[in-house]
Amino acid sequence: AAGKEFYIGRFYFRFKQYLSAIERFENVISLYANAGFDEQSFYYLTQALKKTNQQDLANEYFEVFKKHYPNSPYVKRIASLLK
């Protein structure tokens, strides 16, 4: 189920349906934590939030991400996106 939500979220993201993508990535993070899609979901979620002018919320999710995945290679990638 987590994989399905993630791939649907990526589909929406790819077609610039960012609000729908945000919903899917939030579902992956909240409903399917530790299912193997968390780091990528945070990455796409923060991008989608930024693209919908929700910078503050993107920053909040990034802080949560850094707390739970401090050694993730996505930390630097997300940080550069949110500048």
Side-chain angles (χ1 to χ4, degrees):
K4 182 179 175 183
E5 281 290 301
F6 176 77
Y7 289 112
I8 291 171
R10 280 197 37 205
F11 173 84
Y12 284 132
F13 186 88
R14 192 173 17 235
F15 287 96
K16 299 181 181 179
Q17 300 296 313
Y18 299 120
L19 295 177
S20 295
I22 288 167
E23 183 178 340
R24 296 299 180 146
F25 295 129
E26 285 178 330
N27 284 345
V28 173
I29 291 165
S30 64
L31 300 175
Y32 306 106
N34 302 314
F37 295 94
D38 299 23
E39 294 180 53
Q40 291 177 313
S41 293
F42 271 105
Y43 176 70
Y44 282 106
L45 175 60
T46 53
Q47 282 189 76
L49 288 166
K50 184 166 182 176
K51 290 179 182 287
T52 56
N53 298 313
Q54 299 181 70
Q55 182 76 33
D56 291 342
L57 190 53
N59 290 334
E60 287 177 33
Y61 272 109
F62 180 50
E63 291 304 317
V64 171
F65 178 71
K66 286 193 304 188
K67 180 179 164 187
H68 292 287
Y69 303 97
N71 298 319
S72 171
Y74 285 100
V75 170
K76 288 182 181 179
R77 293 172 73 179
I78 296 171
S80 68
L81 283 171
L82 296 180
K83 287 184 179 178

